[in-house]
Amino acid sequence: MQVVRITPRGYCYGVVDAQKLVRQVAEDPKTRKPIFVLGLIVHNRHAVEELDRYGVVSLDGENRLELLERVSEGTVIFTAHGVSQEVRRRAAEKGLDVVDATCPDVTKTHDLIRTLADEGYTVLYIGRRGHPEPEGAMGEAPDRVHLIETAEDVRELDLAGKRLAVVTQTTLSRWDTDATIAQLRQLYPEVEVYNEICLATQLRQEAAVRQAEACDLVIVVGDTRSNNSNRLVQVVKEQAARPAYLVDGVDDIDPRWLEGKATVGVTSGSSTPSPITRDVIHFLEQFESQSQVGDRRE
Ligand code: SF4
């Protein structure tokens, strides 16, 4: 069995910078304590556990505003996913020190939504319900943004005669959004489209689809809550027509997936620490040699 290391994979610059910033803040003696991260700095259990060691408290929950009510003093860090204006206002009201680790690509989308809303557009934001990024982005102009996740959401719209613009979440797949955009264009031919899928997400997805074609199976290393990791599984299955599994680490690999497979590809989401992916690759290579030893003994 051959193990193909799909590249590029793993950490993007937004995740690297966010983690670096949290470590710097934690190590700076001038930082007001306690230090809280509003949400998980990135959606990966291992990455969050690493920050625990710096004495940083990660607050987990779906709604950033509700999480903020648990904080009454010290420093609050906004994650790479971004936060709404309401969260910023509330943190200031509470007199907290604020550190903003929002990814510049997410900030760019926030700026775009604000500009479009100011110009009178109604914004159709294609994103995942319950994910923090739509919560923050839609919070730029809550009265003017509709969240679109399913075909049903599109059918329920009644926006004839309005100036419309489509904006996408950064970590979706273009194949997904293309279908929704086509549906929107049919109903509202004048709609303007702003594809905000970030380059890191796009490059990882395109590489996974291209390189999966030479594989019998692809293993994606990432957390179940990581949107970009889940999308990697989806694009491999749908675009490369190969089986794909999401694993948090070696323990999640079911050896039965590997039976009879000659080539296994490995990739990882942009929030997955490299050592976890290296362990998975190492396991697969060992598994390969164990199988070959087994074959030789038979
Ligand atoms: Fe930024 Fe894209 Fe990385 Fe998200 S996946 S942190 S938007 S570079």
Side-chain angles (χ1 to χ4, degrees):
M1 185 177 73
Q2 190 192 351
V3 178
V4 175
R5 295 162 167 78
I6 294 173
T7 51
R9 64 174 183 275
Y11 275 176
C12 59
Y13 85 102
V15 164
V16 170
D17 288 355
Q19 290 181 308
K20 200 159 86 188
L21 185 58
V22 177
R23 284 193 290 268
Q24 277 169 359
V25 167
E27 285 170 350
D28 185 344
K30 295 199 287 293
T31 301
R32 266 172 70 201
K33 304 281 185 345
I35 307 168
F36 297 93
V37 181
L38 203 61
L40 306 184
I41 189 71
V42 293
H43 283 157
N44 188 277
R45 177 174 66 84
H46 306 280
V48 171
E49 282 169 5
E50 201 214 317
L51 294 183
D52 289 348
R53 291 198 284 277
Y54 285 81
V56 173
V57 180
S58 297
L59 298 170
D60 192 8
E62 284 210 349
N63 183 301
R64 297 298 202 241
L65 211 48
E66 283 169 20
L67 291 179
L68 192 56
E69 293 311 321
R70 295 197 219 156
V71 183
S72 55
E73 58 178 339
T75 301
V76 67
I77 302 173
F78 301 150
T79 69
H81 312 97
V83 295
S84 65
Q85 293 296 335
E86 185 60 23
V87 168
R88 290 180 191 280
R89 263 194 301 275
R90 187 69 187 123
E93 260 170 31
K94 285 175 145 256
L96 302 169
D97 282 357
V98 166
V99 174
D100 190 357
T102 303
C103 173
D105 285 17
V106 175
T107 302
K108 179 173 145 285
T109 308
H110 282 224
D111 294 346
L112 172 65
I113 290 173
R114 221 173 30 249
T115 304
L116 289 166
D118 289 347
E119 290 174 0
Y121 284 85
T122 296
V123 177
L124 307 171
Y125 182 90
I126 304 179
R128 293 278 170 252
R129 275 195 181 83
H131 191 275
E133 191 183 326
E135 181 193 324
M138 293 172 66
E140 288 295 336
D143 301 336
R144 290 204 155 265
V145 187
H146 296 262
L147 179 63
I148 308 291
E149 186 176 12
T150 63
E152 186 59 32
D153 294 332
V154 176
R155 283 193 288 272
E156 281 173 4
L157 295 171
D158 181 12
L159 298 169
K162 297 212 188 287
R163 289 176 84 193
L164 300 177
V166 172
V167 175
T168 63
Q169 186 175 334
T170 59
T171 50
L172 298 182
S173 86
R174 77 174 156 83
W175 295 282
D176 246 357
T177 53
D178 280 355
T180 309
I181 290 166
Q183 194 191 358
L184 283 164
R185 275 199 167 120
Q186 267 201 333
L187 289 170
Y188 308 105
E190 306 298 323
V191 70
E192 290 178 25
V193 176
Y194 298 87
N195 182 347
E196 291 292 297
I197 296 171
C198 74
L199 189 63
T201 295
Q202 196 180 315
L203 291 177
R204 280 156 186 70
Q205 289 174 357
E206 286 171 357
V209 169
R210 205 172 46 246
Q211 293 168 54
E213 283 166 5
C215 303
D216 300 313
L217 161 80
V218 172
I219 291 190
V220 178
V221 190
D223 196 290
T224 50
R225 289 171 65 177
S226 159
N227 195 50
N228 68 77
S229 302
N230 280 299
R231 297 285 75 73
L232 282 170
V233 172
Q234 182 194 3
V235 297
V236 168
K237 284 181 177 170
E238 292 179 1
Q239 304 304 318
R242 295 290 184 278
Y245 298 99
L246 181 67
V247 301
D248 181 45
V250 166
D251 292 346
D252 288 349
I253 297 173
D254 183 339
R256 284 172 299 185
W257 300 341
L258 309 174
E259 281 169 16
K261 303 292 188 293
T263 311
V264 175
V266 177
T267 184
S268 55
S270 51
S271 49
T272 309
S274 308
I276 313 295
T277 309
R278 272 202 298 273
D279 284 352
V280 166
I281 291 171
H282 182 68
F283 170 85
L284 291 170
E285 286 170 346
Q286 293 304 308
F287 184 90
E288 173 189 19
S289 39
Q290 280 165 16
S291 320
Q292 285 171 351
V293 169
D295 289 347
R296 279 199 295 271
R297 279 187 187 143
E298 278 169 15

